[in-house]
Amino acid sequence: MTAVALFGAGRIGKIHAANLAAQPGTRLKYVVDTHQPSAQQLAAQYGASVTDIDSALADPEIGAVVIASSTDTHADLILRAAARGKAIFCEKPVDLTLERARQCAAAVKEAGVACLIGFQRRYDPTFAAVKARIEAGEIGQPEVLVVTSRDPGAPPVDYIKRSGGIFKDMLIHDFDICRWILADEAVSVQASASVLTDPAIGEGRRCRHHRRHHPHPFRPPVPDQHQPPRCLWLRPAL
């Protein structure tokens, strides 16, 4: 039986707690959250205890951690959990900077612990079916891949201020799934966004235009917005 510490008792933390409770061979032992009422409510629901980060990581019985706290806490918790030899599941993104994300990757490798980032779309039956059909040659040589993603509503402004916004916290799923489906890397990335719903979103995270270049033949222009569809077009070089 693997004892697990859960960091974060918010919306996604509740989902992970339910999944842990339904998973044979795991036991949710601790819930850690700066908002004590949320931590206490979730812990009581699944027979866990509320504690702090240091105590949870110091417990030798804890074999794994689930990091479902705000984006700005992910990297620090990964580093601390890896140093303690815990297996790690962390919600995406690892961090808002490549330097910090790479530091986490190096620490996980050095510690020799398992670490999985929450790119769950690879396990979605529809995405997996597309991948399988391409690999089987049913579709032929892909020229354009369009991924449209929707959320039921705009996220809270407080979340946007602490997160990576529409690109680094949400569209990152689509970048991952396109790299996986096409088994290729991007040559360049263009991104733009508009505030079409709540003006407060624009105050929480300014919309910008971005361009990146990558070494392999693959160019995706990316339009994206909060609440309306997120669309990603990818066109490999012929």
Side-chain angles (χ1 to χ4, degrees):
M1 180 72 70
T2 301
V4 179
L6 171 64
F7 298 102
R11 179 185 62 84
I12 198 66
K14 292 175 182 177
I15 293 173
H16 286 305
N19 290 337
L20 288 168
Q23 181 67 33
T26 64
R27 175 173 67 92
L28 179 58
K29 184 173 183 178
Y30 296 127
V31 175
V32 181
D33 197 293
T34 55
H35 188 255
Q36 287 295 298
S38 296
Q40 291 166 355
Q41 181 180 13
L42 190 60
Q45 184 177 353
Y46 294 103
S49 301
V50 175
T51 190
D52 56 39
I53 297 172
D54 291 333
S55 298
L57 294 177
D59 187 343
E61 188 181 3
I62 294 297
V65 301
V66 172
I67 301 172
S69 46
S70 59
T71 297
D72 56 356
T73 66
H74 290 181
D76 181 61
L77 289 171
I78 288 175
L79 294 172
R80 295 173 68 175
R84 288 284 188 168
K86 313 296 185 184
I88 302 163
F89 174 88
C90 182
E91 274 295 334
K92 49 75 206 165
V94 172
D95 193 69
L96 300 184
T97 67
L98 283 174
E99 179 182 6
R100 187 76 161 153
R102 287 168 176 158
Q103 181 185 2
C104 289
V108 165
K109 183 178 181 179
E110 182 179 355
V113 297
C115 181
L116 178 66
I117 306 303
F119 290 121
Q120 85 288 354
R121 292 190 187 178
R122 297 185 181 207
Y123 306 97
D124 184 284
T126 56
F127 286 111
V130 170
K131 173 76 168 175
R133 292 183 65 190
I134 290 175
E135 291 181 341
E138 290 184 40
I139 294 176
Q141 177 64 38
E143 294 187 9
V144 178
L145 175 62
V146 180
V147 180
T148 302
S149 304
R150 299 175 184 268
D151 273 348
V157 174
D158 184 60
Y159 162 81
I160 294 173
K161 291 179 179 179
R162 302 186 65 187
S163 74
I166 192 71
F167 296 117
K168 293 183 180 179
D169 242 299
M170 302 175 71
L171 191 62
I172 189 172
H173 275 300
D174 299 324
F175 285 131
D176 173 69
I177 206 66
C178 290
R179 292 176 62 247
W180 175 65
I181 287 177
L182 296 175
D184 205 347
E185 298 292 346
V187 168
S188 66
V189 177
Q190 296 172 277
S192 63
S194 301
V195 179
L196 302 178
T197 53
D198 184 355
I201 291 176
E203 298 299 322
R205 179 74 60 174
R206 292 186 180 275
C207 298
R208 303 174 183 174
H209 294 270
H210 302 271
R211 180 187 291 271
R212 286 186 186 174
H213 293 278
H214 297 277
H216 298 291
F218 192 65
R219 179 175 181 171
V222 184
D224 200 351
Q225 309 138 12
H226 278 297
Q227 196 173 9
R230 300 202 312 267
C231 302
L232 178 61
W233 292 270
L234 300 177
R235 185 186 297 274
L238 300 178

